[in-house]
C-alpha cells in the first residue's frame, strides 16, 4: 500500500494515518525490552519503530540518532532493534552517516551484522547517496554476491531509490550478467525487485492518467526483449501478470482509499 501511494498526492495523509494507528503501540512497547516480556513484543518493536519513524515521528528519529551515536562509541544497540536504528539514521542522515555505516560494515565480523548494515545504507532519500550505495553493493569487492540482495532491498525502499535502481539495472545489465551469470537466481531477484517495484509506479500512473494497460505491456516487452534466457523471461512474464491483477485492484479500490484518507 505504501509503495502504491508513494506515487500519489495522498502519501502524506497515509503517513499521518500510520502515525495515528501505530504511535500508541510504539509508546507502549518503548525502545528497550522489559524483563520476562512476551517474545512477540521483541519481534513487533522494530517493525513499529520503523513505521512511526519513517512516517515522520521526530522523537523516534532523534532517539534513533542518539542511540546510533552511543553505538559508535561502544554502547551497543540491542540487536533486536539495531537494523531499525540503522535504517532510520540512514533515512534521515547525510554523507557522514553513510561513511559511518560503511565503516561498521567493513569492520563487522558477523555476516548478520554486515547484512543489517548493508540493508540500511540504501534507505537514504538522498539520490547521490543511493547511487553510491548501489555502486558499493555491485561494483566493489567488499560485498559478497549473496549479500547483494540485501543492499538492493534497502535501495528500493523509497520512491527515488526505486527509480535509481531501475536506471541502474538498465545501464549495467551486461555487467550484472557477467558478474552473476546468465542463470543466476540473483538476476531473477533483481528483475523481480527492481522491475516489479518500478512497474507498481507505472501502475499508479496508469490509473491516474487513464492510460491503457495494453500500451504499457507493449512498452515493457520492447524494453526487455534483450533478456536472453528463459529464467529471466519467466520472471518477467510472471511480473506482467501480477501487474494486470494489481491494475484491477487499484481501479477497484483507489477511490475508496482516497475518501478514507481525506476523512482521516
Amino acid at each position: 500500500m505504501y509503495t502504491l501511494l508513494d506515487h500519489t498526492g495522498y502519501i502524506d495523509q497515509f503517513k499521518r494515518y500510520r502515525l495515528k494507528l501505530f504511535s500508541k503501540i510504539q509508546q507502549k512497547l518503548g525502545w528497550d525490552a522489559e524483563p520476562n516480556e512476551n517474545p512477540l513484543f521483541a519481534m513487533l518493536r522494530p517493525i513499529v519503530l520503523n513505521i512511526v519513524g519513517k512516517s515522520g515521528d521526530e522523537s523516534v528519529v532523534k532517539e534513533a540518532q542518539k542511540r546510533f551515536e552511543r553505538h559508535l562509541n561502544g554502547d551497543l544497540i540491542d540487536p533486536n532493534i539495531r537494523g531499525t536504528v540503522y535504517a532510520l539514521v540512514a533515512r534521515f542522515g547525510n554523507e557522514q552517516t553513510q561513511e559511518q555505516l560503511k565503516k561498521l560494515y567493513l569492520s563487522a565480523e558477523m555476516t548478520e551484522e554486515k547484512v543489517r548494515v548493508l540493508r540500511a545504507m540504501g534507505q537514504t532519500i538522498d539520490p547521490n547517496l543511493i547511487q553510491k550505495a548501489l555502486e558499493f553493493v555491485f561494483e566493489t569487492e567488499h560485498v559478497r554476491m549473496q549479500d547483494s540482495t540485501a543492499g538492493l532491498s534497502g535501495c528500493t525502499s523509497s520512491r527515488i531509490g526505486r527509480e535509481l535502481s531501475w536506471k541502474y539495472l538498465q545501464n549495467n545489465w551486461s555487467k550484472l550478467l557477467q558478474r552473476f551469470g546468465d542463470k543466476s537466481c540473483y538476476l531473477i531477484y533483481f528483475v523481480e525487485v527492481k522491475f516489479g517495484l518500478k512497474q507498481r509506479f507505472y501502475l499508479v500512473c496508469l490509473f491516474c492518467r487513464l492510460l491503457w494497460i495494453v500500451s504499457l505491456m507493449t512498452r515493457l516487452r520492447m524494453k526487455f526483449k534483450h533478456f536472453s534466457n528463459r529464467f529471466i523471461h519467466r520472471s518477467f512474464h510472471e511480473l506482467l501478470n501480477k501487474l494486470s491483477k494489481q491494475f484491477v485492484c487499484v481501479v477497484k479500490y483507489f477511490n475508496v482509499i482516497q475518501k478514507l484518507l481525506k476523512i482521516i
Side-chain angles (χ1 to χ4, degrees):
M1 179 63 70
Y2 187 95
T3 302
L4 288 174
L5 293 179
D6 200 16
H7 301 277
T8 72
Y10 293 93
I11 188 61
D12 290 335
Q13 290 95 319
F14 186 62
K15 287 180 179 178
R16 288 196 291 269
Y17 170 71
R18 298 207 308 176
L19 280 175
K20 184 176 181 181
L21 186 63
F22 288 99
S23 289
K24 289 184 179 179
I25 301 174
Q26 188 276 314
Q27 292 169 8
K28 181 179 179 180
L29 292 172
W31 284 83
D32 301 305
E34 297 290 339
N36 302 317
E37 74 173 5
N38 188 326
L40 295 177
F41 288 179
M43 299 171 63
L44 181 61
R45 184 174 289 110
I47 297 173
V48 174
L49 285 171
N50 187 63
I51 290 174
V52 297
K54 291 182 178 179
S55 296
D57 190 320
E58 293 185 4
S59 63
V60 169
V61 175
K62 289 180 180 179
E63 180 63 21
Q65 292 169 336
K66 290 179 182 178
R67 288 175 179 252
F68 183 67
E69 287 298 324
R70 296 202 299 266
H71 180 79
L72 295 177
N73 294 322
D75 184 8
L76 301 184
I77 302 168
D78 178 358
N80 288 322
I81 63 169
R82 194 177 298 173
T84 295
V85 172
Y86 288 165
L88 290 177
V89 297
R91 185 84 162 193
F92 300 99
N94 51 28
E95 190 164 1
Q96 180 183 358
T97 310
Q98 288 292 306
E99 289 301 317
Q100 291 169 332
L101 287 168
K102 189 180 295 184
K103 288 181 180 178
L104 285 176
Y105 176 86
L106 295 174
S107 63
E109 297 180 357
M110 299 289 290
T111 300
E112 180 182 6
E113 177 69 1
K114 284 184 174 291
V115 169
R116 190 184 285 136
V117 176
L118 197 62
R119 184 176 288 111
M121 288 178 63
Q123 296 193 43
T124 173
I125 52 177
D126 184 320
N128 292 328
L129 297 181
I130 295 172
Q131 185 64 35
K132 289 182 179 180
L134 285 167
E135 292 170 358
F136 180 76
V137 170
F138 293 110
E139 299 179 18
T140 69
E141 60 183 12
H142 303 300
V143 179
R144 300 187 308 169
M145 185 182 299
Q146 58 267 39
D147 295 340
S148 59
T149 55
L152 175 63
S153 177
C155 291
T156 56
S157 65
S158 65
R159 180 176 61 180
I160 184 63
R162 290 187 286 273
E163 183 71 23
L164 289 172
S165 296
W166 166 256
K167 291 179 180 178
Y168 188 90
L169 171 64
Q170 295 179 85
N171 295 335
N172 297 277
W173 179 256
S174 59
K175 294 180 181 179
L176 293 173
L177 194 66
Q178 184 177 6
R179 178 181 178 185
F180 293 95
D182 61 355
K183 295 181 181 179
S184 171
C185 61
Y186 300 114
L187 287 180
I188 296 175
Y189 177 85
F190 298 158
V191 171
E192 289 178 345
V193 174
K194 293 182 185 178
F195 174 71
L197 289 173
K198 176 66 177 180
Q199 297 333 307
R200 289 186 180 92
F201 161 72
Y202 280 134
L203 180 66
V204 176
C205 290
L206 262 175
F207 177 73
C208 296
R209 300 173 187 174
L210 301 177
L211 300 177
W212 288 101
I213 194 169
V214 175
S215 174
L216 174 63
M217 296 289 196
T218 302
R219 295 201 306 274
L220 294 178
R221 289 192 173 93
M222 290 297 294
K223 174 67 72 175
F224 282 84
K225 64 182 180 180
H226 62 286
F227 280 170
S228 59
N229 70 72
R230 59 187 177 87
F231 299 100
I232 305 299
H233 270 296
R234 182 172 59 190
S235 295
F236 171 69
H237 288 294
E238 286 175 356
L239 281 165
L240 287 178
N241 291 332
K242 289 181 182 179
L243 175 60
S244 301
K245 295 176 182 178
Q246 289 171 346
F247 176 78
V248 173
C249 180
V250 170
V251 170
K252 186 175 181 180
Y253 295 111
F254 200 78
N255 286 334
V256 177
I257 295 171
Q258 287 178 319
K259 292 178 181 179
L260 174 64
L261 292 176
K262 284 180 179 180
I263 294 173
I264 296 171

